Structure formats: C-alpha cells, structure tokens
Amino acid sequence: MSQVSEATVDSVANTGDALPHADVMRVISGVVLCILLGALDQTVVIPAVPAIAGDLGGFGQLSWIIAAYLICSTVSTPVYGKLSDTYGRRRLLMSCIAIFMATSALCALAQSIHQLIWFRALQGLGGGGLMALAQAAIADVAPPRERGRYQGYLSAVWAIASISGPLVGGFVAEQWSWRWIFWINLPLGALAIWACSRGLRNIKTHANGHKARIDLVGMLLLAGTISTVLLALGWGGREYPWLSFEVVGMLAVGGVLATLLMAQEKRARDPVLPPPVFANPTYVSSVLVSTLMAVVLFVCLFSIPLYAQLLRDASAAESGLYVAPFMLSNVSGNLLGSMYARRKGTIRGALRIATALSCFGLALSALMPAGAPVWMTVGAMVITGPGVGVCLLGTIMSAQNAVPSKNIGAGTGALLVLRSVGGASGSTLAGALVASGLAVASGAMAASHISANFELLYGITAVICAAAFIVTLRMPNTPLRSQISSVSLGE
C-alpha cells in the first residue's frame, strides 16, 4: 500500500479541500493503535492490582499505581498539544510512544511498589500525548463536517479497549504474571511507531509565522494546577475528609496557581493555553459540555459494576458485563453524532438532543425501585449511553472547528485535560456516595441504604446533564467547515 502521496497533500494545502477517504484512512491507521495503547493501559492494570500487592506488598499505596499514571498523563496532555502545533504531530507522537514503551519495560521490571509507582508516573508522561495528538492529527486531514466520521473510529477503539481491558488484565495476571501486562505494550508500541511513521509521514500542521518560544512558566503552572486539583479530588472522602485542612488547602493552592496561570498566559508570546481560544463562545461551550458529560461518563463506568455487585449479587466478572451495553450504546452515539454533523453541517442540535436524552435515562435510573428487573436497569443505561457518546465526539468536533488551525493542538489538549478533570470528579462523586452508603449499611436495611445512595447518585448526575443541556441552549450554532487549512507538505 502506498503512503499519502505528496501531490495529494500539496493539493490539499493549496485548495483547503479534504483528503480522499483512502488517504485519511492511512492516517487513521497510524493513530488508532495509539488510542488502543492509551485506553487499554488505563483499565488493564485495575484487575491486576491484587496480584501486584501480593508480589510487591504496599497494600496502602496501591491506589497510586492508577493515580500516578492519571495525574501525569493529564498534566502532559495540553503540553503535548501545544508543542505539536509548533513541531508537528508525527515527531511528538512517535516520541510519546517511545517513552511509553521504555517506561512499560521499567514497570515490568519493578522490584518494589515505590518503583512501580514512579515508573507508572513516567509512563503517564508518554501516555498523555497519545489521545490528544491522535485527535489533533485527524483535525489536520479531515474538515470539521467530516471529522466525526473518523473520530468515531477512535471512539469505537477506546470503547472496546475499555470493555476488554479489565478482562485481559485479569486473565493475564491469573494465567501468567502481572508483569506481562506491561511487557505486551512493547510489540504493540513498535507496531504503533511503524504505523505512525507510515501514516503521518507527509502530514504536518500549520507552521507559526515566528520562531516559537516554549512557555515553560505556563507549562509548570498548568502542571501544578492540574496536579493539586486531581490530588484533592483523589484525597477527598478517602484519605482525608472533604473539609480537612489537606483537601481544602490543596484546592486553595490549585486556585492560586490557576490565577497565576491566567496572568502568565495573557503576557506569554506563545502561551500553552492561548487566551483567544477561550474568548470564543463556541469553544467555551464545547469545553463546558465536554467536561460535564465526562462527569456523567465516569459516574456510570464507576457505578454500574458496583451496582451489579452490591444490589444484583453479580460476581466481579459478571459485573463487567453490565457495563458492556452502556459502552456499546455510547459507541452508537458516536456514529449518530457523526451522521448528524455530516447531514446538517452543524452539531449544536445533536448536543441538545443528546444531553436531554442522557438526562432522561439517568432520571429513570434515579426513580427506579430497588427490585426493578435487570432489563429495566440496563435499559435506562442504554438510553443514557448514546447521549454521552454524541457529546464526547460532538464537543471535540465543535471545539476544533472553533479554533484557528495554528491552535488546534492546544485547543484539543485543553479540552481533553478538562475532560480528564471531569472524569476524576465523576469517579470521586460516585465513590464518595457509594462508600457513604456502605458505611451506614448493616443488617436487613443494608440493601435499602445502598439502593438509596445509588438513586441519589443518579439523581445528581441527571442534574449535571441538565446543566449541560442549558449550556447547549446558549451555545452559538456555528456551521462546521467543509474545508481544512492545516495540512501542508513536509515531515
């Protein structure tokens, strides 16, 4: 198979027309393995945690195996996005994969829990660029109106990895060793590097008209802001009470750093988060809806297995099957959102329908009695899933459409990092409410206490969906462009 032809790319650069479908698919083949690596590694480790504890000890620090990766990957996401606007997607994406592979090997060789935590943090620095750069690469070769068609492929891979990750991790840890969970990243990473080199060889992003200056101060302030907020969300209700000095203090430090970050970005020549991007009402609305629906997504992902185990007496393996219908309906939402965008040339209407649909599904879950049949509980989540899928795909399309080509990487990275913060908030909300139900549950009234807390959780999440719907009512109905302007001949 031939790679993207120089003549084709040069034609696109001069006319702004979209690449042929076959050429775009070669680019997609170059980034889809990156999505697989990033998504799989976030879930495959979870079922192996007991085996890791038995081998390395340190039961009290096991949560940091997940948290260290999450924090570092979230912190690095917008930085990679900004740097890729200057230095190109291909070079940085291949560097991210190489870092990811090297640190995967270190994780497999870890001899203590502390080593594994540090190596997982370093692995997150590589993993943080996989999703952001893959999404930005699609924006380089497909116009916004057609972009959902291709981003839907990535969303499908992410959903499949999210479902299969816990199954693969549990099987590998049980049949072989937890270390193979990390060793398997090496052949997958090598294949991803080859695919990226082939698929992105002649595609690069719009070049800025002046010599780039790295906003190091902004990057450090951004990293500090995200880290403190995520640590506070992780500690609250688990390590420390929500109103404790530690949690409140971390949130206060995060607020101070965020204020300093805004001041720095206003005066920086090449800000990591360009202020003009956040002055665009379409972009801001897209980011708000994306963040709120990320809360909904992670509430569902966290709560559905626990609901199955605590109220349906399902085993750990069976509880994973309860998530599958929700994730599959989520993927269907990606496809529906893509079809709507291509037909209507805008995405606001789809976001309004999607947020209303998810709100309705969660309201059904909140009002459902404890003894309701399984098909009813699963059905409510199947109603919720498509709306979440439409929003997560549609907000990326809308946000990238709203920013100039030179800021696509930075804009995409900012949206994804705030989406990660929303996801962490959703997991924290679900964990806190479920844990409080378990704390007071005892005897014959245990099930009713737990059921009441699940009802409260889904009720709160329905309100969050309603807030997202209100944002879409104020969102400008910006037409999706049918041309691209960020592709040029080069590396």
Side-chain angles (χ1 to χ4, degrees):
M1 295 178 65
S2 63
Q3 55 189 333
V4 181
S5 67
E6 294 188 4
T8 301
V9 176
D10 193 42
S11 174
V12 173
N14 293 329
T15 66
D17 294 332
L19 285 170
H21 175 68
D23 289 338
V24 177
M25 287 306 299
R26 292 189 184 99
V27 177
I28 296 295
S29 69
V31 300
V32 70
L33 284 174
C34 299
I35 299 296
L36 179 63
L37 278 174
L40 195 61
D41 210 72
Q42 292 186 38
T43 57
V44 75
V45 177
I46 296 174
V49 166
I52 295 173
D55 189 12
L56 300 180
F59 285 86
Q61 298 172 313
L62 288 179
S63 62
W64 281 102
I65 298 174
I66 310 298
Y69 181 93
L70 174 65
I71 291 173
C72 289
S73 63
T74 303
V75 166
S76 60
T77 292
V79 176
Y80 280 124
K82 176 58 181 177
L83 292 177
S84 73
D85 286 333
T86 301
Y87 300 107
R89 321 291 184 212
R90 175 174 174 264
R91 184 185 303 170
L92 277 175
L93 195 50
M94 293 175 68
S95 299
C96 287
I97 300 171
I99 294 172
F100 189 84
M101 292 171 61
T103 51
S104 293
L106 291 176
C107 289
L109 296 172
Q111 298 300 308
S112 70
I113 191 67
H114 295 97
Q115 287 184 7
L116 181 59
I117 291 171
W118 279 108
F119 294 152
R120 281 283 287 171
L122 294 175
Q123 189 183 37
L125 294 179
L130 298 180
M131 179 68 79
L133 297 181
Q135 295 283 5
I138 296 176
D140 291 336
V141 297
R145 188 163 181 169
E146 300 290 329
R147 201 167 291 161
R149 174 184 184 184
Y150 303 107
Q151 288 174 331
Y153 299 148
L154 303 191
S155 299
V157 171
W158 181 86
I160 293 171
S162 299
I163 295 172
S164 62
L167 302 177
V168 172
F171 177 81
V172 170
E174 182 178 340
Q175 298 298 321
W176 297 310
S177 167
W178 62 267
R179 298 181 187 275
W180 280 101
I181 291 174
F182 299 105
W183 285 124
I184 200 173
N185 287 333
L186 271 61
L188 287 176
L191 185 60
I193 286 180
W194 172 82
C196 284
S197 177
R198 170 185 171 277
L200 307 182
R201 185 177 302 278
N202 290 320
I203 305 296
K204 77 172 185 178
T205 53
H206 175 89
N208 290 323
H210 55 78
K211 185 177 180 180
R213 293 182 180 179
I214 297 177
D215 181 19
L216 182 59
V217 175
M219 291 179 181
L220 292 175
L221 288 172
L222 177 63
T225 301
I226 296 171
S227 298
T228 52
V229 171
L230 289 179
L231 282 173
L233 291 175
W235 284 350
R238 299 177 186 179
E239 302 290 334
Y240 305 101
W242 277 105
L243 297 179
S244 66
F245 172 79
E246 290 81 1
V247 174
V248 174
M250 289 294 282
L251 290 174
V253 170
V256 171
L257 292 175
T259 302
L260 295 175
L261 174 63
M262 288 188 287
Q264 166 64 19
E265 298 307 87
K266 289 180 180 179
R267 64 185 183 87
R269 179 175 177 178
D270 277 304
V272 65
L273 297 178
V277 168
F278 290 91
N280 187 304
T282 300
Y283 179 83
V284 172
S285 298
S286 300
V287 169
L288 287 174
V289 174
S290 173
T291 303
L292 291 171
M293 296 308 288
V295 176
V296 176
L297 173 66
F298 278 84
V299 164
C300 294
L301 290 178
F302 190 95
S303 65
I304 292 174
L306 292 177
Y307 177 89
Q309 292 182 49
L310 297 174
L311 296 178
R312 298 291 178 178
D313 295 323
S315 66
E318 292 171 343
S319 66
L321 298 177
Y322 277 73
V323 183
F326 171 77
M327 292 303 298
L328 292 175
S329 65
N330 192 300
V331 173
S332 73
N334 296 153
L335 300 176
L336 292 172
S338 171
M339 293 169 59
Y340 183 97
R342 293 178 66 192
R343 175 169 294 186
K344 301 291 186 180
T346 182
I347 197 64
R348 187 186 66 177
L351 295 178
R352 289 178 174 179
I353 296 171
T355 50
L357 183 65
S358 292
C359 183
F360 177 68
L362 287 164
L364 288 179
S365 297
L367 297 174
M368 199 169 295
V374 172
W375 68 265
M376 289 183 64
T377 58
V378 172
M381 284 301 167
V382 169
I383 293 174
T384 303
V388 176
V390 169
C391 289
L392 295 184
L393 177 69
T395 50
I396 287 184
M397 295 171 59
S398 177
Q400 290 179 337
N401 181 69
V403 300
S405 58
K406 65 179 182 179
N407 288 329
I408 281 181
T412 303
L415 181 143
L416 292 178
V417 75
L418 290 172
R419 182 179 290 184
S420 295
V421 173
S425 302
S427 299
T428 300
L429 173 64
L433 286 178
V434 173
S436 64
L438 291 172
V440 300
S442 61
M445 298 297 294
S448 62
H449 280 298
I450 297 172
S451 177
N453 276 44
F454 274 106
E455 292 169 5
L456 176 61
L457 172 63
Y458 292 132
I460 292 173
T461 313
V463 172
I464 293 173
C465 275
F469 174 75
I470 292 173
V471 172
T472 65
L473 294 179
R474 303 295 301 271
M475 182 179 184
N477 194 26
T478 307
L480 298 174
R481 297 191 304 271
S482 299
Q483 294 182 328
I484 54 177
S485 58
S486 60
V487 179
S488 60
L489 182 63
E491 179 198 349

